[in-house]
């Protein structure tokens, strides 16, 4: 069975067109990026507004008892916020493809459009590729756009204190362009696999969304001072997700056969 | 090899048998009906013949493509109208059709005139740019039929094309199918609607998990189709003898009664002679003549279990 890129692109074309007309989904897709961008800007802004507040110093010392006396606690906390927030930011590239892919795979079953589709020459691999592209391309585009807005916003609010652009820094640039797509691939893979097994988009979304929990949990650990985020830390996360991606890819190709998809109804 | 050849086809889901020992043959240009009640295995059969489900027994070819292993080339020559129209509601009629043209890797410029032709014929002309979500059930069904035709398939499988439609929409869909038939297309029509099958199909197979009867609709309907014989004692024991007849008739036995399906009246004396030869004491032998509905219902009753 040959892989025909044209058929995969046809699936991508249709799903993308459908997404553009799905106002409800578009709105729910925009909420998360908005939060991801506005919250850290708000936090940075708070530090910048009262840089000399005594309490800031105690907070900073909680995270780093070796903080030199002369160093600005506000500046330290801004840097820490930016580093920690990247972990949270990764929720977006995982979650947005889950929203899209659950709709596009389980949604096809729910609306009974999958059977005519499977009766066409498209192969399971082409179908998965097209649908994955339709989830990944918008998710990565949204992540990158949010990143740009985030950089601009942070630099504007931090300027009065630091007098130089903080963003984009090496960690974020590498993270957003290399690690985030790996996470997006992961979210998509989970959603595709789960969607192939349940019959409702909502259920697929809810189940897939559980994978966000470990990510949020780790950010919690960072805030609690248990985990110390940094370049190596995120690189390790990326590596783990890369391995998971490979497993998911293997599983999707193995498990998504026509008969199973059709037979899940009724 | 054109046409559809089905030999001992069977499908089981776990230990539930959905279809068994199904054999039939559809000639090119023929409109063939699969008639059976709910759960008879019509959809399962069509899914096997379009490469969506793997048969668990037997084999079938559709235009020379084995259904169990030639999935991709097979799906290029078949068109399937599924029980649910399965259209994308947010997309327009044109976008829905375009998607399938792309999936079939058609040259869209060349494929559109055919699609437009059917849109016009089915009264959907001028509605191409509207989202399908706003279409009536009948319009959706007709659009779905157009979609099954975009790649000019050799054979079209229509799974209950009029179920769930009001009488008027059902009629327009039936007219649409009649149009396709008049173009000499090969069509397999699944239905539990006798009038529909009678109007549209040349030959019909009555199925209920397995094949109960098959033949031209007019033959199923008319006399000579069956000879009802009453013998003394259990009729069952003469089935073997009857199977030895050169025309090997289909036989159903119930108590002292035998129902012997015949291709024509002239076979009746042979049946009686055979029974007598096998030692049967024949009380009566009556050719039956009944409306299709009764034939059908009786077939189903006898085919139970
Ligand atoms: N995927 C499946 N898993 C298990 N059993 C199935 C599956 N698909 C069909 N069946 C069973 O196979 C039998 C035949 O079903 P099928 O849908 O082919 O009948 P049908 O003739 O199309 O009926 P209807 O007129 O209701 O559409 C039924 O008993 C059904 O429950
Ligand atoms: Mg059915």
């Amino acid at each position: 069975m040959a892989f025909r890129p044209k058929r995969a692109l046809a699936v991508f074309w249709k799903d993308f067109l459908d997404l553009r007309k799905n106002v409800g989904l578009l709105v729910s897709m925009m909420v998360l990026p908005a939060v991801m961008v506005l919250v850290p800007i708000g936090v940075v802004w708070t530090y910048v507004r009262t840089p000399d507040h005594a309490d800031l110093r105690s907070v900073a010392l909680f995270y780093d008892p070796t903080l030199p006396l002369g160093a600005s606690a506000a500046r330290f906390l801004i840097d820490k916020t930016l580093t920690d927030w990247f972990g949270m930011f990764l929720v977006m590239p995982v979650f947005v493809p889950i929203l899209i892919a659950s709709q596009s795979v389980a949604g096809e079953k729910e609306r009974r459009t999958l059977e005519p589709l499977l009766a066409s020459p498209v192969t399971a691999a082409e179908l998965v590729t097209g649908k994955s592209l339709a989830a990944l391309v918008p998710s990565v585009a949204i992540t990158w756009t949010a990143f740009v807005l985030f950089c601009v916003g942070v630099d504007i609010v931090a300027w009065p204190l630091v007098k130089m652009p903080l963003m984009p820094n090496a960690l974020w640039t590498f993270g957003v362009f290399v690690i985030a797509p790996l996470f997006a691939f992961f979210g998509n893979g989970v959603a595709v696999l789960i969607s192939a097994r349940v019959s409702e988009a909502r259920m697929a979304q809810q189940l897939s969304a559980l994978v966000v929990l470990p990510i949020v949990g780790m950010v919690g650990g960072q805030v609690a001072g248990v985990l110390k985020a940094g370049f190596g830390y995120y690189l390790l996360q990326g590596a783990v997700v890369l391995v998971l991606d490979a497993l998911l890819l293997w599983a999707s190709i193995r498990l998504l056969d026509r008969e199973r998809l059709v037979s899940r109804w009724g | 090899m054109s046409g559809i050849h089905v030999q001992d086809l069977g499908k089981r889901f776990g230990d539930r048998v959905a279809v068994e020992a199904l054999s039939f043959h559809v000639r090119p240009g023929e409109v063939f009906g699969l008639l059976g009640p709910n759960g008879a295995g019509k959809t399962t059969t069509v899914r096997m013949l379009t490469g969506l489900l793997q048969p668990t027994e037997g084999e079938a070819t559709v235009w020379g493509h084995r259904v169990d292993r030639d999935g991709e080339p097979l799906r290029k020559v078949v068109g399937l109208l599924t029980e649910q129209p399965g259209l994308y509601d947010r997309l327009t009629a044109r976008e829905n059709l375009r998607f399938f043209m792309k999936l079939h890797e058609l040259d869209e410029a060349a494929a559109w005139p055919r699609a437009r032709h059917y849109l016009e014929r089915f009264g959907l002309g001028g509605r191409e740019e509207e989202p399908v979500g706003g279409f009536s059930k009948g319009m959706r069904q007709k659009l779905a039929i157009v979609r099954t035709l975009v790649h000019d398939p050799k054979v079209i499988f229509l799974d209950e094309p009029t179920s769930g439609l009001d009488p008027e929409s059902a009629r327009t869909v039936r007219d649409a199918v009649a149009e396709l038939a008049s173009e000499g297309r090969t069509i397999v029509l699944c239905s539990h609607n006798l009038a529909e099958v009678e109007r549209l199909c040349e030959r019909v197979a009555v199925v209920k998990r397995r094949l109960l009867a098959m033949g031209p609709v007019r033959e199923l309907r008319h006399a000579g189709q069956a000879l009802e014989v009453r013998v003394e004692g259990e009729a069952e024991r003469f089935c073997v003898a009857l199977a030895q007849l050169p025309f090997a008739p289909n036989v159903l036995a119930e108590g002292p009664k035998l129902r012997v399906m015949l291709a024509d009246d002239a076979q009746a004396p042979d049946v009686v002679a055979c029974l007598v030869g096998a030692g049967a004491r024949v009380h009566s032998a009556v050719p039956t003549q009944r409306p299709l509905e009764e034939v059908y219902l009786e077939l189903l009753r006898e085919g139970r279990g």
Side-chain angles (χ1 to χ4, degrees), chain A residues 1 4 7 10 13-14 17-18 21-22 108 112-113 115-121 258-259 263 265, chain B residues 11 47 51-54 72 75-76 80 82 86-88 90 95 99-100 102-105 147:
Chain A
M1 242 177 354
R4 310 277 303 180
R7 294 196 293 240
W13 172 83
K14 188 276 291 175
L17 194 62
D18 197 52
K21 299 185 183 203
N22 191 344
E108 297 254 11
R112 303 286 169 138
T113 51
E115 193 181 357
L117 181 55
L118 292 175
S120 83
R258 215 163 279 266
E259 169 133 5
S263 292
W265 312 326
Chain B
K11 176 74 185 177
R47 283 182 179 166
L52 290 171
L53 290 179
Q54 280 285 324
E72 204 184 315
R75 291 194 299 273
K76 282 186 177 156
L80 169 64
T82 47
L87 299 161
Y88 299 98
R90 276 183 290 268
E95 288 161 348
F99 178 41
F100 277 76
K102 285 172 185 284
L103 287 176
H104 284 281
E105 298 180 90
R147 186 190 56 197

Side-chain angles (χ1 to χ4, degrees), chain A residues 32 35-36 84-95 98 183 186 208-227 229 233-234 237 241:
Chain A
L32 194 60
V35 171
M36 289 295 165
D84 280 345
W85 192 257
F86 178 68
M88 199 61 168
F89 197 80
L90 283 174
V91 167
M92 174 169 37
V94 176
F95 196 71
I98 287 177
F183 273 63
F186 175 68
S208 319
L210 296 178
V211 301
V212 168
L213 292 181
I215 305 176
V216 177
M218 282 197 284
V219 178
Q222 289 161 219
V223 173
V226 181
L227 295 171
Y233 170 82
Y234 289 125
Q237 278 192 16
V241 168

Side-chain angles (χ1 to χ4, degrees), chain B residues 227 242 245 247 262 264-276 285:
Chain B
L227 185 68
L242 287 171
L245 279 168
F247 49 91
L262 301 180
D264 86 70
D265 298 330
Q267 295 172 341
D270 296 334
V271 170
V272 177
C274 166
L275 285 170
V276 172

Side-chain angles (χ1 to χ4, degrees), chain A residues 259 262-266, chain B residues 13-14 16-19 36-45 47 53 83 159-160 190-192 207:
Chain A
E259 169 133 5
V262 175
S263 292
R264 287 284 144 170
W265 312 326
Chain B
F13 297 101
R16 173 191 280 148
V17 178
V19 176
N38 292 134
K42 306 180 294 291
T43 300
T44 302
T45 303
R47 283 182 179 166
L53 290 179
E83 272 179 289
D159 196 353
E160 315 241 8
C190 295
S191 181
H192 45 79
V207 293

